[in-house]
Amino acid sequence: MKLEASSGEDMEPAMANQHFAIFETAIGPCGVVWGERGITGVQLPMGDEAKTRKRIHQRNGEVTEATPPAEVRSAIDGMTGLLQGKPNDLADVVLDLGGVPEFNRGVYDIARRIPPGKTMTYGDIAKKLGGVELSRDVGQALGRNPCPIVVPCHRVLAAGNKPGGFSANGGVVTKLKMLQIEGAVVNHTPNLFD
């Protein structure tokens, strides 16, 4: 798996020459934002294409819609396939995570190693980063994940393998749908708030 601009002086993502594209998936219209050094963002569906496009502009400012280059097209194909139930770890997708805190990059690196159809807990990731007391920090990092699907935050569960939170549009229902597509087993009984 490839993470670029992860340390050193060049910490900011390359804002110049950033572009985006909308693509249709089994869970709705998603978006991808890219620059010269890789993908800088993935937008989960916001209900319809216009709302997804609006959210991309809210988060990324003046990015222009464009035809994706080959490597971004390949990432889109991988994400689309994954959301159709075709296992793909998306490890070959190059991300530009410049400007993302080092701790968060560590969380994302571990999350990217979770295979489709499998899950980990916030505590599991926290232990790999130094101790279970970091579980809340792991949850916060995943809540700020700029590249969902590629960084599969939906595969990270709360204690007891319960779904926990999910900040994407649709919340836990979207998370559960993505996990169901991948064939993951989740300990969840729907309640009034789902």
Side-chain angles (χ1 to χ4, degrees), residues 5 10-16 18 35 37-40 96-100:
D10 198 12
M11 289 295 294
E12 292 301 316
M15 295 309 235
Q18 280 207 318
R37 298 184 306 211
I39 290 174
T40 60
D96 176 1
L97 296 179
V100 172

Side-chain angles (χ1 to χ4, degrees), residues 36-106:
E36 296 170 356
R37 298 184 306 211
I39 290 174
T40 60
V42 174
Q43 179 59 56
L44 291 173
M46 294 300 297
D48 63 37
E49 191 173 311
K51 290 178 184 172
T52 301
R53 185 176 281 105
K54 181 178 179 181
R55 184 65 163 181
I56 289 170
H57 283 294
Q58 287 172 336
R59 288 189 167 174
N60 299 278
E62 295 302 316
V63 294
T64 56
E65 196 160 0
T67 301
E71 60 275 6
V72 176
R73 182 74 247 168
S74 177
I76 290 170
D77 291 345
M79 288 185 277
T80 302
L82 179 67
L83 293 171
Q84 291 173 336
K86 299 173 188 165
N88 185 338
D89 64 7
L90 304 173
D92 58 338
V93 176
V94 177
L95 299 178
D96 176 1
L97 296 179
V100 172
E102 184 178 348
F103 179 83
N104 294 23
R105 289 193 311 267

Side-chain angles (χ1 to χ4, degrees), residues 140-155:
Q140 290 173 350
L142 291 170
R144 293 182 181 99
N145 176 11
C147 300
I149 306 173
V150 179
V151 176
C153 51
H154 63 281
R155 295 183 194 143

